[in-house]
Amino acid sequence: MSFTTRPTLQGTFGMVSSTHWLASQSAMAVLEDGGNAFDAAVAGAFVLHVVEPHLNGPAGEVPILLAPAGGEVRVLCGQGVAPAGATVAHYRALGLDLVPGTGPLAAAVPGAFDAWMLLLRDHGTKPLADVLKYAVGYAEDGHAPVENVGATVESVRELFETEWTSSAEVYLPGGRAPRPGELFRNPALAATWKRLLAEVADAGDRVAQIDAAREVWRTGFIAEALLRQSRHPTLDTSGTRHTGTLTAADLAGWSASYEAPATYDWNGWTLCKAGPWSQGPVLLQQLALLPPELPRYGSAEYVHLLVEGCKLAMADREAWYGDAADVPLAELLSPHYNADRRALVDDKASYELRPGSPGGRTPRLSAHARVVVSDEPGFSPLGVGEPTVAKRPTSPVPGEPEVGPDGTTRGDTCHLDVVDRWGNMIAATPSGGWLQSNPVVPELGFPLGTRLQMTWLEEGLPNSLTPGRRPRTTLTPSIALRDGVPVLAFGTPGGDQQDQWQLHFFLALALRSPVRGGLDLQGAIDAPNWHNDSFPGSFYPRGMRPGSVTVEARTAPEVVAELRRRGHDVTVGEPWSEGRLCAVARDPETGVLSAGANPRGMQGYAVGR
């Protein structure tokens, strides 16, 4: 067995992996209290809102993949749609050619809260108060924040103190940013959840209380506060103050929903992802592009093959994915289509954006899609996360948010996986509603999201800004089946990198030897990782860097040299800089559960027994 930073945990009772130890342990506490994986996930998710507020919030979004024991894998879509007034014409009339990266104009209908409520109602067993108590406790009594919370707040200090003053009240109390080793509280958020619980306490049984909570969010005091904030003129990345388009009808009319996953079969595995309103099928198409025989794992030829396949899949994402048009997904994943696409890969790095023509259709890209960024200040190939603007290489906060003089910011994401002793399994990637995305809603203690920035302000594209349609999200959790049985749940933060890192992780599991009779989750998480930026970024200002590959410094020097010989523009990053993967697994034959978590960033942990 190869060296790993931590053991792959194994047990039989329950396993949790998330991007923050307090979320992992809170979810585990729910399992210990008799709850199932779905109860545990909801508890962990609300804790993530408190302890990783620079990475997600209740008014953000979350795609969830769930595999109930003995049931079918389903997608629970917590991605809200564009409001009725969010038209291309409206934004163009404001003089915009891109949706701003911050502010209320970028806010979709909030989706995360309703998705978690629907999950708890339909698949959980616990009352709402039982799963919210952990988040309420950390918000009210305080938690010792990770260093990057305070670093993020410092990076937006000027904006908060001069423009977003409601955010300063929460995150700069007395002018002081949150610091490790000191308790940080969000009393406004704690008060929101306590008021919500008080208002629904007399609604009836567990299900009735959850449905009542959903109504409070949609039409009650929470909705009213969200709407007041949306109507408040707010400085955004355009350098101008704008109001949003969210209305009472938008909030009242939207609900999270279930759908079938997109799937692909590969070597006895079935990979399940959210549909092409997410980037999830990119992982599936990267598998479809693989030749029958792969080069040696980790070799330069192997990395080259995966990078070039990713470029083709991402070009197809740009031309064909979105919620504003029918997506020819069956054709995009078909053997004949990908055989033709595979033939485009040779031994040299491609610097072109080459979407295909599924079924003879002609691809159409946004006019902005070929904008190239350089190594000038404003782009860092070392950056990870969901950037609303790429970080400067000199930033003191690797992979975390930064704000420029015009209010441009960079965010990131969370992830959470749970498997329980009954075999229930869930993978979720909460994001959006970051503290640096919009001003904190004063009455609520959290901000609106900014997911509409991922749409194009051009008509007729699959990802055009379209009222009632979902912006194409980068959020992309995974569940994998072996011989038709769910065995693995995994995912990572990382914006456009998510399905690159997840492919590398999955192949590390599938191609390398197992550990202790199970999957070597920790070994696959720890393995040197990489990403490329040879396609349009999903976040403002939407640029790309053709030919780029960023590898961790642990990558063998001969691999780096060979990649450069093949024409790749290789940047060697820090040794532990690529990915924040989480994973849990279950062996259906033995009932043994496993978990691993990412050491990068020093805050993701797996727990279990």
Side-chain angles (χ1 to χ4, degrees), residues 6 16-22 24 52 146 415 522 580-582 596-607:
R6 310 165 181 178
V16 182
S17 179
S18 88
T19 48
H20 196 289
W21 62 85
L22 291 179
S24 295
E52 294 192 323
V146 296
H415 189 80
Q522 196 62 48
R580 292 177 67 205
L581 283 147
C582 300
N598 180 55
R600 302 164 178 89
M602 298 184 293
Q603 67 191 64
Y605 274 88
V607 296

Side-chain angles (χ1 to χ4, degrees), residues 565-582:
R565 191 192 70 78
R566 289 172 179 244
H568 296 280
D569 180 9
V570 180
T571 298
V572 178
E574 294 298 315
W576 297 91
S577 55
E578 292 282 316
R580 292 177 67 205
L581 283 147
C582 300

Side-chain angles (χ1 to χ4, degrees), residues 165-176:
T165 54
S166 60
S167 297
E169 290 177 14
V170 173
Y171 290 105
L172 288 166
R176 187 180 176 94

Side-chain angles (χ1 to χ4, degrees), residues 16 23 26-28 30-31 35-45 131 416 418:
V16 182
S26 298
M28 192 68 201
V30 173
L31 294 180
N36 66 18
F38 309 119
D39 298 310
V42 176
V131 297
L416 175 70
V418 189

Side-chain angles (χ1 to χ4, degrees), residues 139-296:
E140 186 168 49
D141 301 326
H143 65 96
V146 296
E147 183 178 355
N148 282 335
V149 175
T152 302
V153 173
E154 287 293 354
S155 74
V156 291
R157 174 183 286 272
E158 182 180 356
L159 180 70
F160 280 13
E161 290 179 338
T162 59
E163 292 282 344
W164 297 8
T165 54
S166 60
S167 297
E169 290 177 14
V170 173
Y171 290 105
L172 288 166
R176 187 180 176 94
R179 298 190 181 187
E182 299 179 3
L183 291 180
F184 174 72
R185 298 173 175 86
N186 187 341
L189 179 58
T192 295
W193 297 145
K194 291 174 77 172
R195 179 177 173 183
L196 173 74
L197 291 170
E199 289 196 7
V200 305
D202 296 328
D205 62 10
R206 188 187 79 89
V207 169
Q209 288 186 13
I210 294 169
D211 279 337
R214 297 173 71 207
E215 284 306 306
V216 170
W217 179 276
R218 287 197 188 100
T219 63
F221 80 94
I222 293 177
E224 293 168 0
L226 291 172
L227 291 172
R228 279 194 295 273
Q229 187 61 51
S230 178
R231 290 191 288 261
H232 184 75
T234 301
L235 181 68
D236 59 36
T237 55
S238 71
T240 302
R241 293 176 184 84
H242 290 117
T243 57
T245 61
L246 197 63
T247 67
D250 294 319
L251 282 172
W254 184 84
S255 158
S257 57
Y258 296 98
E259 57 189 56
T263 64
Y264 187 78
D265 295 332
W266 184 82
N267 286 11
W269 295 84
T270 300
L271 274 292
C272 301
K273 302 289 284 185
W277 53 268
S278 76
Q279 72 171 344
V282 163
L283 177 62
L284 309 183
Q285 190 175 356
Q286 288 178 98
L287 289 171
L289 284 163
L290 294 176
E293 296 293 326
L294 294 179
R296 178 176 56 83

Side-chain angles (χ1 to χ4, degrees), residues 239-487:
T240 302
R241 293 176 184 84
H242 290 117
T243 57
T245 61
L246 197 63
T247 67
D250 294 319
L251 282 172
W254 184 84
S255 158
S257 57
Y258 296 98
E259 57 189 56
T263 64
Y264 187 78
D265 295 332
W266 184 82
N267 286 11
W269 295 84
T270 300
L271 274 292
C272 301
K273 302 289 284 185
W277 53 268
S278 76
Q279 72 171 344
V282 163
L283 177 62
L284 309 183
Q285 190 175 356
Q286 288 178 98
L287 289 171
L289 284 163
L290 294 176
E293 296 293 326
L294 294 179
R296 178 176 56 83
Y297 174 86
S299 65
E301 187 181 4
Y302 176 86
V303 177
H304 171 79
L305 178 71
L306 266 57
V307 168
E308 294 305 299
C310 176
K311 293 174 185 177
L312 295 174
M314 285 296 199
D316 278 345
R317 181 194 75 166
E318 198 52 53
W320 301 109
Y321 290 21
D323 197 35
D326 290 332
V327 179
L329 189 58
E331 182 77 15
L332 287 167
L333 297 179
S334 66
H336 66 274
Y337 177 77
N338 286 289
D340 290 343
R341 298 286 278 154
R342 190 183 307 126
L344 297 174
V345 176
D346 56 25
D347 64 352
K348 294 296 184 183
S350 170
Y351 280 60
E352 298 178 65
L353 188 64
R354 300 182 288 181
S357 300
R361 300 168 181 86
T362 301
R364 183 184 159 207
L365 297 170
S366 163
H368 196 84
R370 298 185 189 275
V371 170
V372 174
V373 293
S374 68
D375 289 327
E376 298 301 316
F379 181 84
S380 168
L382 304 183
V384 299
E386 296 212 321
T388 50
V389 69
K391 285 167 54 63
R392 287 184 286 276
T394 54
S395 170
V397 194
E400 293 297 338
E402 174 185 15
V403 170
D406 60 351
T408 51
T409 68
R410 173 190 181 83
D412 204 338
T413 301
C414 310
H415 189 80
L416 175 70
D417 301 312
V418 189
V419 62
D420 65 28
R421 61 191 185 274
W422 300 289
N424 298 302
M425 187 178 291
I426 182 170
T429 310
S431 188
W434 308 299
L435 66 85
Q436 64 280 10
S437 63
N438 257 302
V440 165
V441 183
E443 307 93 325
L444 302 180
F446 59 84
L448 286 162
T450 53
R451 193 60 55 171
L452 293 186
Q453 67 178 289
M454 308 181 79
T455 61
W456 294 115
L457 294 182
E458 299 167 53
E459 301 284 6
L461 297 169
N463 194 31
S464 297
L465 178 64
T466 306
R469 297 289 183 168
R470 295 166 287 192
R472 190 193 70 213
T473 180
T474 50
L475 307 173
T476 174
S478 302
I479 283 182
L481 288 62
R482 185 71 179 168
D483 299 321
V485 179
V487 297

